[in-house]
Amino acid sequence: MSILDNVDAATNLAKNNELQLLVFRVSDNKDSAYYAINVFKTREVVEAKNHYMTQIPSSHPLLEGTIVLRGLQIPILNLPLWLDVNLTREDIKKSNILICDFNGIIIGLRIMSAYRVIKKNWNEMHAPDSYRVGEDNVVINDTRLEDGSLCLVLDYEKLLADVVPQAMVNVEESPSNLADLVLPQKLLNGTVLIAEDSKTAQKHLTLIFKHSNIKMKLFDNGKKLVDYVNNLGERASEIPAIITDIEMPEMSGFTVVKLLKANPMTQNIPIIVNSSMTGENNKREAEVLGADGFIDKTKSHGVIPLIVKIMNAVQ
């Protein structure tokens, strides 16, 4: 669809701490909210009326069924219902399906209409604390459109964890070699720093590190992590490793890598990018900026062996 045609390369955006968002609505109500998703998680927008929906017996209430598109059977999630918006039959006929790629798993989100693609700097993305109260909140951060309208970015990882859990990491799954790993003393004695804004992903990483008996410290965005590291001064050298998501308000993971690798006091700390944006461009850009490793979120249970492998390689 033409709305997604003029999208900048991920590499160009990363260098400027920028992102592009596809803005959409889930209702035709003129007072309805604007929502957004990173364009690099989207593939295309198709008209729902052109695709036959196959029902799935005894499925999750938010899983409407599947459609076949370009030879793929794609599960369709009822995003409006997740946001407490009930569409009429007429609305459903007029609606669209946003085809997305999460960790290499293709899903469709029902939306009413795609609005347009906007470019933002990550420091224009905000994560109000009020959205983080309780376990059921679905908004992860927000920004403003040119006319001042509020645009909400959702915690899609929470939606996937609830409805399509195979799109997320299995925290109970342990790499077969974990028991045989000899952990470096620096890792045993130190605290791994993690920048991650999704509460769902935070919970997964917390369980992974708890199972491994390794200390960790979480930050809601990259800026908080970088500020913390900078305040440590010479003690920053004690940090065994850093894990960062790419998509975060205030400062992206790419900028975290860029800043820490450019600083002589922190350039030798192993940094691993942990993201659901697993395209080759993102992996290549992380490597160019100096990241020591890249792991997609469905394989986060393997992050401890990856840290050990990197630490042993640089000793």
Side-chain angles (χ1 to χ4, degrees):
M1 187 172 167
S2 60
I3 200 168
L4 289 171
D5 283 348
N6 298 315
V7 173
D8 290 347
T11 50
N12 292 333
L13 295 168
K15 289 176 180 133
N16 299 314
N17 198 43
E18 291 176 333
L19 77 159
Q20 281 182 300
L21 296 167
L22 174 63
V23 180
F24 61 89
R25 281 179 149 164
V26 299
S27 168
D28 271 343
N29 186 322
K30 62 182 176 64
D31 297 321
S32 65
Y34 289 101
Y35 298 96
I37 184 170
N38 193 310
V39 293
F40 293 108
K41 288 184 175 176
T42 67
R43 285 196 166 190
E44 60 184 306
V45 181
V46 299
E47 293 183 80
K49 66 183 181 183
N50 294 336
H51 300 275
Y52 177 76
M53 184 82 67
T54 301
Q55 305 296 318
I56 303 175
S58 306
S59 61
H60 192 284
L62 292 175
L63 181 57
E64 294 188 45
T66 64
I67 65 169
V68 175
L69 181 67
R70 307 190 202 292
L72 290 176
Q73 192 165 30
I74 300 173
I76 307 303
L77 277 54
N78 192 329
L79 187 61
L81 185 59
W82 193 53
L83 298 168
D84 296 323
V85 174
N86 290 298
L87 300 183
T88 65
R89 285 189 177 182
E90 282 304 308
D91 289 335
I92 292 171
K93 287 178 184 176
K94 293 188 297 181
S95 70
N96 289 274
I97 295 172
L98 175 60
I99 308 300
C100 303
D101 182 340
F102 293 95
N103 298 319
I105 294 176
I106 311 302
I107 65 162
L109 301 176
R110 188 177 295 280
I111 63 172
M112 186 51 68
S113 56
Y115 179 48
R116 61 192 176 88
V117 172
I118 62 171
K119 185 185 290 185
K120 287 284 179 180
N121 192 287
W122 277 108
N123 61 27
E124 297 176 277
M125 307 297 294
H126 308 292
D129 289 339
S130 58
Y131 294 150
R132 298 186 169 277
V133 179
E135 292 297 316
D136 297 324
N137 288 288
V138 299
V139 177
I140 198 166
N141 52 62
D142 66 44
T143 191
R144 294 279 175 177
L145 303 181
E146 286 88 340
D147 64 359
S149 300
L150 190 63
C151 183
L152 306 174
V153 179
L154 303 170
D155 189 349
Y156 299 99
E157 288 170 356
K158 176 175 172 52
L159 173 62
L160 292 173
D162 290 344
V163 186
V164 194
Q166 64 267 34
M168 300 300 292
V169 62
N170 179 0
V171 296
E172 299 302 328
E173 183 179 348
S174 297
S176 57
N177 62 339
L178 192 58
D180 300 326
L181 274 181
V182 177
L183 301 183
Q185 205 62 39
K186 187 173 183 178
L187 184 57
L188 286 170
N189 296 338
T191 300
V192 174
L193 306 185
I194 301 175
E196 171 60 67
D197 65 330
S198 165
K199 288 185 73 174
T200 302
Q202 286 181 358
K203 190 184 299 181
H204 291 161
L205 287 165
T206 299
L207 287 171
I208 289 165
F209 274 79
K210 185 178 179 182
H211 291 164
S212 303
N213 294 314
I214 296 171
K215 295 187 285 294
M216 54 165 284
K217 185 175 179 62
L218 275 170
F219 300 87
D220 288 335
N221 63 59
K223 186 176 185 305
K224 289 181 179 177
L225 184 147
V226 170
D227 288 346
Y228 175 85
V229 172
N230 288 338
N231 287 333
L232 288 177
E234 292 184 0
R235 288 188 297 132
S237 62
E238 298 171 9
I239 300 168
I242 289 171
I243 299 170
T244 180
D245 188 15
I246 294 176
E247 298 181 281
M248 293 178 291
E250 310 295 340
M251 183 184 289
S252 78
F254 283 146
T255 303
V256 170
V257 176
K258 185 178 173 182
L259 291 176
L260 295 181
K261 288 299 182 180
N263 184 342
M265 296 185 68
T266 55
Q267 64 183 4
N268 294 323
I269 301 172
I271 302 180
I272 294 168
V273 173
N274 179 46
S275 176
S276 57
M277 290 171 54
T278 55
E280 288 306 314
N281 279 346
N282 290 311
K283 293 178 181 178
R284 194 178 306 113
E285 182 62 15
E287 185 178 353
V288 167
L289 291 171
D292 300 277
F294 192 110
I295 191 165
D296 74 65
K297 287 189 177 179
T298 59
K299 297 181 175 66
S300 291
H301 55 271
V303 75
I304 304 299
L306 181 57
I307 290 173
V308 172
K309 180 181 177 182
I310 292 168
M311 290 183 71
N312 287 338
V314 299
Q315 283 180 355

